[in-house]
């Protein structure tokens, strides 16, 4: 399936961007009459025929549309403090999109070493991963958000904080509900500060453990993402 990201598609005639046109005609060597597929990032999957294989303005004719293509049967939100080495966070975004995630929020914490973020680059990585894994939805990526601001606006009874303190003894499976959204917060390399943990508890956010191993930030975030996916599959099969 040759998949292109077209968030601005509104009609039956669509012209690919110059970048996508070059990829379509030069890299994939597609020509007039060939079939391609378009995703708008919000569940729309479009079947289209190449009308004009122009290398700068490849024009398509849309012949079919599906809605809610690849819609996740669950809502998962990972709130994570970006790592000092941004490559590790880019890796997490790519893999989380491939696995399936609804939202990613980047947290600014007391122990954060990275206080700036190029959200546009992370969005490009997410788009590439969405296309590669043939998904129809682009996860929401939220820019750096101060910890306390995130805590105030979170769904407190469905948000959980994974940290290294002794009272984080239960895994997310003890709280998981098939028909509810889940958000797991992952701290920076130095973990959440005691003040942040207290603030989370005061807001009704409960602690969870991701296992006995001490995980890197990006590994912990990916484990949380995959755990939510696996739990949904298991609990759905039991219903």
């Amino acid at each position: 399936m040759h998949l292109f990201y077209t968030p601005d598609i509104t009609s039956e005639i669509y012209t690919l961007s110059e970048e996508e046109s070059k990829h379509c005609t030069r890299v994939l060597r597609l020509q007039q009459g060939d079939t391609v597929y378009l995703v708008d990032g919000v569940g729309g999957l479009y079947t289209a025929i190449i009308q004009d294989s122009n290398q700068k303005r490849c024009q398509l004719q849309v012949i079919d549309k599906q809605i809610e293509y690849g819609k996740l049967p669950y809502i998962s939100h990972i709130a994570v403090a970006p790592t000092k080495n941004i490559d590790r966070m880019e890796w997490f975004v790519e893999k989380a999109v491939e696995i399936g995630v609804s939202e990613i929020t980047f947290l600014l914490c007391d122990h954060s070493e990275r206080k700036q973020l190029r959200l546009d680059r992370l969005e490009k990585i997410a788009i590439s991963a969405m296309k590669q894994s043939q998904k129809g939805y682009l996860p929401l990526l939220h820019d750096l958000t101060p910890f306390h601001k995130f805590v105030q606006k979170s769904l407190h009874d469905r948000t959980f904080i994974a940290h290294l303190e002794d009272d984080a003894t239960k895994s997310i499976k003890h709280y998981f509900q098939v028909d509810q959204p889940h958000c797991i917060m992952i701290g920076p390399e130095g973990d959440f500060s005691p003040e942040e943990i207290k603030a989370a508890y005061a807001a009704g956010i409960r602690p969870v453990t991701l296992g006995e191993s001490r995980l890197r930030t990006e590994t912990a975030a990916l484990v949380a993402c995959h755990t939510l996916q696996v739990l949904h599959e298991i609990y759905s099969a039991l219903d």
Side-chain angles (χ1 to χ4, degrees):
M1 180 187 290
H2 298 302
L3 204 61
F4 297 90
Y5 178 50
T6 55
D8 57 343
I9 186 169
T10 57
S11 64
E12 294 181 356
I13 302 296
Y14 185 84
T15 302
L16 293 176
S17 66
E18 184 172 345
E19 180 180 358
E20 290 281 46
S21 293
K22 289 180 180 178
H23 182 70
C24 178
T25 58
R26 291 184 183 180
V27 179
L28 299 177
R29 299 186 181 278
L30 298 176
Q31 301 177 353
Q32 182 177 347
D34 287 339
T35 300
V36 297
Y37 298 88
L38 317 173
V39 287
D40 56 15
V42 289
L45 174 68
Y46 304 79
T47 305
I49 303 296
I50 298 177
Q51 298 294 310
D52 181 4
S53 55
N54 188 293
Q55 293 184 0
K56 291 187 176 181
R57 299 177 302 279
C58 184
Q59 191 173 83
L60 312 172
Q61 171 73 52
V62 176
I63 60 173
D64 186 50
K65 177 185 177 181
Q66 298 180 44
I67 61 173
E68 296 189 345
Y69 171 76
K71 184 176 181 179
L72 290 175
Y74 58 92
I75 297 176
S76 64
H77 184 175
I78 304 298
V80 57
T83 52
K84 183 178 181 180
N85 183 345
I86 195 60
D87 290 349
R88 287 159 51 188
M89 194 53 37
E90 291 175 355
W91 174 86
F92 160 69
V93 169
E94 178 183 71
K95 302 310 174 187
V97 173
E98 291 178 11
I99 290 171
V101 66
S102 307
E103 291 185 57
I104 299 173
T105 296
F106 299 101
L107 295 175
L108 183 60
C109 301
D110 290 342
H111 296 160
S112 291
E113 294 189 79
R114 173 168 289 279
K115 302 182 187 297
Q116 292 183 332
L117 202 63
R118 281 193 57 189
L119 193 65
D120 59 337
R121 175 167 172 76
L122 292 171
E123 288 175 340
K124 287 182 179 179
I125 290 170
I127 291 169
S128 178
M130 176 188 67
K131 291 163 59 179
Q132 186 277 329
S133 55
Q134 298 189 355
K135 288 182 166 52
Y137 286 84
L138 183 66
L140 295 175
L141 300 187
H142 303 285
D143 209 345
L144 273 175
T145 304
F147 177 91
H148 292 284
K149 183 177 181 181
F150 179 81
V151 166
Q152 291 171 2
K153 69 176 184 178
S154 66
L155 298 173
H156 301 152
D157 60 332
R158 305 313 309 161
T159 300
F160 306 88
I161 184 169
H163 60 70
L164 300 176
E165 298 297 326
D166 293 339
D167 58 337
T169 58
K170 293 184 178 181
S171 69
I172 188 65
K173 70 179 182 181
H174 291 282
Y175 306 107
F176 188 83
Q177 295 181 34
V178 172
D179 58 347
Q180 294 294 321
H182 298 80
C183 174
I184 300 180
M185 302 171 65
I186 306 294
E189 285 93 332
D191 203 5
F192 294 111
S193 68
E195 292 75 19
E196 288 171 333
I197 294 173
K198 289 179 182 178
Y201 289 178
I205 295 173
R206 289 168 288 186
V208 292
T209 176
L210 297 175
E212 296 182 1
S213 299
R214 188 182 181 95
L215 304 175
R216 288 179 178 272
T217 295
E218 74 279 9
T219 308
L222 194 64
V223 167
C225 179
H226 186 243
T227 298
L228 291 175
Q229 181 209 35
V230 171
L231 285 173
H232 181 271
E233 291 180 356
I234 293 174
Y235 281 78
S236 295
L238 296 175
D239 286 349

